[in-house]
Amino acid sequence: MYTQALDLPDNAAAKAAAPASHEAGPMARFEACIDADGRIEPQDWMPEAYRKTLVRQISQHAHSEIIGMQPEGNWISRAPSLKRKAILIAKVQDEGGHGLYLYSAAETLGTSRDQMLDGLHTGRAKYSSIFNYPTLNWADVGVIGWLVDGAAIMNQIPLCRCSYGPYARAMIRICKEESFHQRQGYEALLTMMQGTPAQRALVQDAVNRWWWPVLAMFGPPDADSLHSGQSMRWGIKRISNDDLRQRFVDATVPQAKVLGVSLPDPDLTWNEERQHHDYGAIDWDEFWSTVNGNGPCNRERLATRVKAHNDGQWVRDAALAHAEKQQRRAMKEAA
Ligand code: FAQ
């Protein structure tokens, strides 16, 4: 349902299509590789603006995964059964892993993890607006899986075809895991919807609260999207913010029907002419206020993250001391 083809282009052919080094400068070779839908690798020459855009997007994406562990992590100790607890622990751990793949991909562009984390911890770097909303009841955990992971997959499948090789490759594994995350959320909600009226009411309440922030998660409308034009020209983004949002709405409406919940938008209707659903106006003031640090949980999320980082200092110190000891031993043995 979420896939838009995972077939990857023939990189060798694309690179061969690029003019040879004696014929053209690095910019021409870069452009030719992008035009032929090839992959740019870390050792390849790239314009500084391309590098900067990638570091911005990949590090923001990594920060989102790491901060995104918090809303659901909040429910690990209160999961309603051992099975749900085990699933949730695995999911939250996956999000941490996604952050690590993505930091590694960004590091290949010459930015250190310390620099990226400093950006996050000092509030200079962005992370997804969606993780600044609270998880008030157990159904929120299911709704995050169904809607937030569902939106993330919709946005991230095209990134498997991103022109920067390390990012594209990281995204393939991430998307496979996100797909499991989406299904576990939907399954948890289906179970609740077969339960008591109180359980069904919890699901509906969670859907009502998350629907609009999830739609905003795809980013500003195309007309206001600062980076989309250039990022699409470079093959970093493949599908625009509005087009992804529309695909998500179209995919989610039938799922809501099966689940038996209503989506909180009186303007949501099928448009026969467009062959898409029309939907109501998104509150962009709320979006920007959240992005700029004033959402319901921004301060709490950042404070929790900074504390976790500081509390983990002894682990990093111990790992470094161990690595140094091993290196000294290896040098002594080699001498
Ligand atoms: N939140 O010109 P555009 C997940 C910013 S991972 C905050 O359209 P662009 C997994 C944008 O950065 C979710 N800021 O920007 C999970 C820019 O500001 P800047 C994260 C946002 O880059 C599930 C400005 O607005 N996914 O969910 C947002 O072309 C469950 C102008 O915007 C990714 O990061 C936003 N929602 O398009 C984990 C995917 N939207 O940088 C745990 C990769 C926009 O100039 C539990 N990223 N902004 O200061 C992307 O695809 C793109 O970066 C977009 C934004 C589509 C997010």
Side-chain angles (χ1 to χ4, degrees), residues 56-58 60-62 64-69 72 91 95 98 126-131 144-145 148-149 151-152 155-156 159 167 171 178 181 216-221 224-228 231 237 241 244 287-288 291:
R56 178 187 64 78
Q57 178 167 326
I58 303 173
Q60 285 177 2
H61 193 167
S64 304
E65 300 279 359
I66 298 293
I67 296 278
M69 297 167 77
E72 289 165 290
K91 179 184 191 288
E95 311 298 359
H98 297 173
K126 288 192 170 72
Y127 60 85
S128 182
S129 50
I130 196 70
F131 301 117
I144 289 180
V148 177
D149 283 279
N155 163 278
Q156 290 172 189
L159 294 175
Y167 191 25
M171 289 318 303
E178 300 287 26
H181 295 171
M217 204 183 144
F218 290 92
D224 303 328
S225 169
L226 192 62
H227 306 290
S228 279
S231 287
K237 280 168 88 160
N241 298 357
L244 287 170
F287 170 77
W288 288 116
V291 169

Side-chain angles (χ1 to χ4, degrees), residues 49-303:
Y50 177 81
R51 186 186 298 276
K52 209 170 141 196
T53 293
L54 282 167
V55 170
R56 178 187 64 78
Q57 178 167 326
I58 303 173
S59 63
Q60 285 177 2
H61 193 167
H63 300 329
S64 304
E65 300 279 359
I66 298 293
I67 296 278
M69 297 167 77
Q70 292 184 34
E72 289 165 290
N74 186 28
W75 279 88
I76 290 174
S77 60
R78 290 174 289 163
S81 70
L82 184 58
K83 177 182 142 187
R84 294 290 174 202
K85 192 191 284 273
I87 292 171
L88 187 56
I89 290 172
K91 179 184 191 288
V92 171
Q93 189 171 297
D94 280 355
E95 311 298 359
H98 297 173
L100 299 186
Y101 312 152
L102 290 164
Y103 285 128
S104 299
E107 279 174 317
T108 65
L109 291 155
T111 303
S112 74
R113 192 167 306 196
D114 284 346
Q115 283 173 304
M116 290 184 266
L117 286 178
D118 187 57
L120 174 64
H121 296 161
T122 54
R124 279 181 286 117
K126 288 192 170 72
Y127 60 85
S128 182
S129 50
I130 196 70
F131 301 117
N132 292 306
Y133 290 86
T135 39
L136 302 182
N137 72 56
W138 172 251
D140 288 46
V141 172
V143 168
I144 289 180
W146 174 38
L147 296 180
V148 177
D149 283 279
I153 300 167
M154 193 58 87
N155 163 278
Q156 290 172 189
I157 292 278
L159 294 175
C160 298
R161 293 184 287 121
C162 168
S163 60
Y164 188 58
Y167 191 25
R169 289 189 288 275
M171 289 318 303
I172 291 174
R173 179 156 174 189
I174 291 176
C175 284
K176 287 180 181 165
E177 292 176 354
E178 300 287 26
S179 172
F180 152 75
H181 295 171
Q182 193 269 352
R183 278 150 200 255
Q184 69 76 37
Y186 194 65
E187 192 270 338
L189 296 178
L190 276 173
T191 305
M192 285 185 83
M193 290 303 286
Q194 286 155 14
T196 63
Q199 285 175 304
R200 285 195 286 279
L202 287 179
V203 176
Q204 186 61 60
D205 173 59
V207 171
N208 292 347
R209 284 181 287 106
W210 287 90
W211 176 248
W212 291 106
V214 165
L215 290 195
M217 204 183 144
F218 290 92
D222 292 352
D224 303 328
S225 169
L226 192 62
H227 306 290
S228 279
Q230 184 60 72
S231 287
M232 288 179 73
R233 162 74 191 86
W234 277 331
I236 296 173
K237 280 168 88 160
R238 299 284 180 169
I239 303 178
S240 79
N241 298 357
D242 283 333
D243 285 351
L244 287 170
R245 195 170 6 251
Q246 181 70 65
R247 286 179 193 213
F248 174 77
V249 171
D250 291 342
T252 307
V253 168
Q255 295 172 1
K257 276 205 186 95
V258 172
L259 198 55
V261 293
S262 61
L263 297 171
D265 179 359
D267 297 325
L268 187 62
T269 44
W270 175 251
N271 183 322
E272 192 58 36
E273 202 179 319
R274 288 200 312 121
Q275 289 291 300
H276 288 295
H277 291 87
D278 291 335
Y279 55 90
I282 294 169
D283 184 345
W284 292 111
D285 290 342
E286 178 185 323
F287 170 77
W288 288 116
S289 160
T290 305
V291 169
N292 291 324
N294 301 312
C297 301
N298 294 57
R299 283 170 195 82
E300 181 189 328
R301 298 286 185 248
L302 211 51

